[in-house]
Amino acid sequence: MAWCAATMSLAVGQDGGRSGDAGAERWAVVVDGTPEVWPALVEPPSPDSVRAAAEALSHHYQRQGYLQATVDSATVHPNAPPYATFYVTRGPQTTVDAVQFTGHDALAEAALRRAMQLRAGQPLDQYVLDADLQALRAAYRAEGYPLATVHVDALAPAGDDAVAVTLAIEEGPQLWLRAIELDGAERTNPAYVARAAGLTYEAPLRDYDPEALRTALQDTGLFAQVEAPALQVDPDGGATLTFALEERPPGVFDLVVGVLPDGGAEESTSFVGSGRLELENLFGGGREADLALDRRPGRSSTVDVRLRDPFVFGQALDAEVVFAGEQRDSSYSARTYRGSLGYEVRSNWHLRGSVRRAVTRPGPQGQTLQDGTQRVARSSAWLGGVGLRIDQTDRRRVPRQGLRADVLVEQGRQQRTRRTVVGPDTVRTQSTTQQTRLDGHVRTFWPLGRRHTLVLGAEARALFADTYDPSDLFRLGGYASLRGYDEDRFSGRVVGRGLAEYRLFVDRVSFVFAFAEIGGVDRPAMERRAGGRQAGRRSWHPSAGIGTELSTGLGRVNISYAMNPDDGGPANGRVHVGLAVAL
């Protein structure tokens, strides 16, 4: 091979010359007398290495089946790109006469051929052959042979410019999962790790992918660090997987305090707050328990308890039990009990069914008569529903990209009992109404760069019925729903919020943010027996603000400031301060 080499010292772009377009600018290629662009499959060397460029070119064409391809010469252009022009003679292209296999037993030859793209009569393309070798190894992994190897054993001449390709297969044993061992875990149960990673004891170790197993455990959010498993094989084919992992703290206590501005002469600056205790990986099985207490404006408060088991009885069933209690000053108290059972229909998509029991009891103020009827009825309801929960984010706690959605639709009947004035008497009346409830939210996370993320989302709660009671209405406003307004400022049969939030990350989990949101409320017409019906109305309520969420030595600190157009000035904004401390 005759060619000319020269040494040059020229600047290289930041992309390192990895694209075909960059190669076309730096080098010129003439193949069998025809100019061509630099091959996209070849990473262009730096401008000071003409010899490396020539070797890369000849190797590329040889891999395409031109086994006699050579770079005959190169002309250097020292002043401007292209830095050199290469003259290539490809020669005849070698074709495949036949593809043969040796050493295979577990998979039939027909199955092996279906996994390959290379066929008799096609060019001997090494790029295609390399992909076929990977595909054959994947086919063996799918059948529980993760140790199987496949390589080219021989290229035998078979006539003019043709070869017979022989692939040698060493299948190794079919492995089955004997045990899982955990290195660094103090609470986690190996059985939970098996279920979370999609592994089954005493079953063939199919589609074994160490990195995929590591990612599956990392995505649970229960571990700070997970390493790819180490594989140990016994003579009988039993496999032991050892996971080295670091568990997260077993729980978090989260306290949020809100400062509401002076409401006028009769109302001074007030404080509201919520405390939440979250426990994770209970008894080492990935179970969760949450307890939340909220103090609302006035004499109102709520309590929420949630228990969740991601693998009921060791099966792929996600069970959840929720209790929600509300005391609305002396008007009424409400209790809700809900149980749901979900099944993973596809990766991170859980379809669930639920049953809800809701009970409302009027307080002293709720039992008073207004316009001839009791203000709040004594009621009970049974509802059944179906929902879908999706979590396709890259991180469980502080996502940078992906989608989260949770939608639940329920339907049932509510029975009400209330006192009503009929003529000179006060009697108890009963009624039954059909109810349909909708509860859903969605969040999308869009990375805008290495440190920037845009969060877009919406949420809505809706109740559709023939008649409505004050205790049926949903509340909107405050830190968890509409940050520019007081807690529970609005109520309606339909409440919703649209959100846009920009986040600037200062490290992996800490960021500052700015947001804009708008809430919508549809308040129904309420019955007033003596005075007709109170008219319903719809309203929109925008707010905006800024804040930060930081990971500190004390815990996770969240500070936000928000205001709405009716505040009258920045001094009347709402401030919320939260602290989450690991247990």
Side-chain angles (χ1 to χ4, degrees):
M1 178 175 63
W3 55 283
C4 177
T7 300
M8 297 171 286
S9 178
L10 300 173
V12 183
Q14 292 182 352
D15 63 355
R18 294 183 181 275
S19 67
D21 292 341
E25 294 176 357
R26 296 174 183 177
W27 310 104
V29 182
V30 177
V31 180
D32 294 333
T34 303
E36 294 185 1
V37 298
W38 185 269
L41 293 175
V42 181
E43 180 178 345
S46 60
D48 60 353
S49 182
V50 176
R51 180 184 297 275
E55 292 176 351
L57 270 181
S58 60
H59 183 61
H60 166 70
Y61 289 112
Q62 290 167 7
R63 287 177 63 86
Q64 287 189 324
Y66 300 95
L67 302 184
Q68 302 177 30
T70 59
V71 177
D72 299 321
S73 63
T75 302
V76 178
H77 313 291
N79 296 324
Y83 306 130
T85 300
F86 297 92
Y87 297 89
V88 178
T89 300
R90 286 187 300 194
Q93 189 175 34
T94 302
T95 59
V96 177
D97 179 71
V99 179
Q100 303 169 348
F101 305 93
T102 62
H104 65 94
D105 184 45
L107 295 182
E109 183 172 317
L112 298 176
R113 294 190 184 279
R114 284 195 300 269
M116 298 182 62
Q117 302 180 50
L118 197 63
R119 297 287 187 272
Q122 295 181 348
L124 180 61
D125 192 322
Q126 187 67 40
Y127 296 107
V128 176
L129 184 56
D130 288 345
D132 286 345
L133 296 180
Q134 294 291 338
L136 291 173
R137 296 185 191 108
Y140 272 97
R141 285 198 303 270
E143 296 300 321
Y145 294 85
L147 303 181
T149 62
V150 185
H151 64 274
V152 178
D153 184 56
L155 296 176
D160 295 337
D161 301 322
V163 295
V165 181
T166 301
L167 302 181
I169 300 174
E170 297 179 8
E171 296 178 331
Q174 185 181 39
L175 303 186
W176 51 276
L177 183 60
R178 181 191 299 276
I180 290 179
E181 296 181 354
L182 305 181
D183 182 7
E186 298 179 358
R187 302 182 307 274
T188 306
N189 190 325
Y192 169 74
V193 171
R195 291 189 290 267
L199 300 170
T200 304
Y201 285 108
E202 308 297 328
L205 199 59
R206 302 182 187 276
D207 293 313
Y208 176 70
D209 185 341
E211 183 59 28
L213 295 177
R214 187 200 69 82
T215 301
L217 293 184
Q218 193 79 57
D219 288 346
T220 64
L222 301 181
F223 308 105
Q225 185 67 34
V226 181
E227 296 183 6
L231 177 65
Q232 178 180 341
V233 181
D234 297 334
D236 62 352
T240 299
L241 297 181
T242 302
F243 291 86
L245 48 84
E246 177 186 349
E247 296 171 321
R248 290 189 182 275
V252 174
F253 177 71
D254 190 348
L255 178 65
V256 177
V257 177
V259 182
L260 308 184
D262 190 339
E266 299 181 356
E267 300 182 18
S268 60
T269 300
S270 60
F271 295 86
V272 295
S274 67
R276 178 181 295 273
L277 176 64
E278 300 179 5
L279 301 178
E280 295 182 332
N281 203 13
L282 293 176
F283 310 109
R287 301 174 184 88
E288 302 173 7
D290 297 346
L291 170 64
L293 301 173
D294 285 0
R295 182 188 181 279
R296 304 295 175 86
R299 293 179 296 165
S300 301
S301 60
T302 65
V303 57
D304 295 276
V305 180
R306 183 181 70 96
L307 302 174
R308 175 176 175 264
D309 188 342
F311 298 104
V312 181
F313 305 122
Q315 304 299 316
L317 297 175
D318 183 341
E320 188 176 73
V321 178
V322 176
F323 167 77
E326 178 184 10
Q327 181 66 52
R328 184 63 53 179
D329 49 60
S330 61
S331 296
Y332 65 86
S333 63
R335 302 186 305 274
T336 299
Y337 310 86
R338 180 169 59 83
S340 65
L341 194 63
Y343 180 76
E344 190 172 23
V345 294
R346 55 177 294 185
S347 178
N348 297 317
W349 288 55
H350 286 83
L351 184 65
R352 56 183 173 136
S354 69
V355 176
R356 179 196 296 263
R357 168 69 169 170
V359 178
T360 301
R361 296 293 181 261
Q365 185 67 25
Q367 294 181 25
T368 60
L369 299 180
Q370 179 180 352
D371 296 329
T373 187
Q374 184 174 317
R375 291 185 63 248
V376 178
R378 181 186 181 96
S379 66
S380 63
W382 283 97
L383 299 98
V386 62
L388 179 64
R389 181 177 295 166
I390 304 172
D391 190 345
Q392 293 184 317
T393 53
D394 59 340
R395 305 175 192 168
R396 180 180 177 182
R397 299 179 185 275
V398 187
R400 292 293 309 277
Q401 64 180 356
L403 166 70
R404 280 181 180 169
D406 194 350
V407 179
L408 177 64
V409 180
E410 298 173 300
Q411 191 171 51
R413 293 178 179 274
Q414 183 190 58
Q415 293 184 339
R416 297 176 183 158
T417 303
R418 68 199 323 156
R419 292 183 302 137
T420 304
V421 176
V422 179
D425 301 323
T426 300
V427 299
R428 293 185 180 277
T429 61
Q430 291 186 344
S431 63
T432 300
T433 182
Q434 189 82 14
Q435 290 189 343
T436 300
R437 297 172 62 99
L438 170 66
D439 194 345
H441 76 267
V442 61
R443 291 285 186 278
T444 58
F445 302 86
W446 303 83
L448 303 179
R450 187 174 61 89
R451 299 172 56 194
H452 310 272
T453 295
L454 177 65
V455 182
L456 301 177
E459 55 198 47
R461 303 180 72 188
L463 173 65
F464 304 100
D466 297 330
T467 59
Y468 299 90
D469 208 53
S471 61
D472 295 331
L473 304 183
F474 302 110
R475 305 282 172 170
L476 182 69
Y479 175 75
S481 58
L482 198 58
R483 287 169 279 189
Y485 295 86
D486 295 348
E487 265 68 12
D488 295 348
R489 170 75 176 276
F490 310 103
S491 62
R493 67 172 182 176
V494 179
V495 298
R497 175 179 66 149
L499 167 70
E501 182 173 296
Y502 162 76
R503 296 178 177 179
L504 172 62
F505 282 81
V506 296
D507 59 32
R508 179 177 173 83
V509 295
S510 301
F511 56 91
V512 296
F513 61 89
F515 66 89
E517 54 191 6
I518 183 169
V521 179
D522 182 355
R523 187 172 179 86
M526 306 291 287
E527 290 189 3
R528 299 177 61 182
R529 296 298 177 89
R533 293 175 66 86
Q534 181 182 3
R537 60 188 177 88
R538 295 179 180 177
S539 57
W540 298 94
H541 310 281
S543 73
I546 58 175
T548 182
E549 188 167 322
L550 303 174
S551 179
T552 69
L554 180 62
R556 192 161 189 81
V557 177
N558 189 306
I559 303 174
S560 68
Y561 167 84
M563 60 181 298
N564 64 73
D566 301 327
D567 276 342
N572 293 325
R574 277 71 180 165
V575 177
H576 292 91
V577 180
L579 173 63
V581 181
L583 301 179

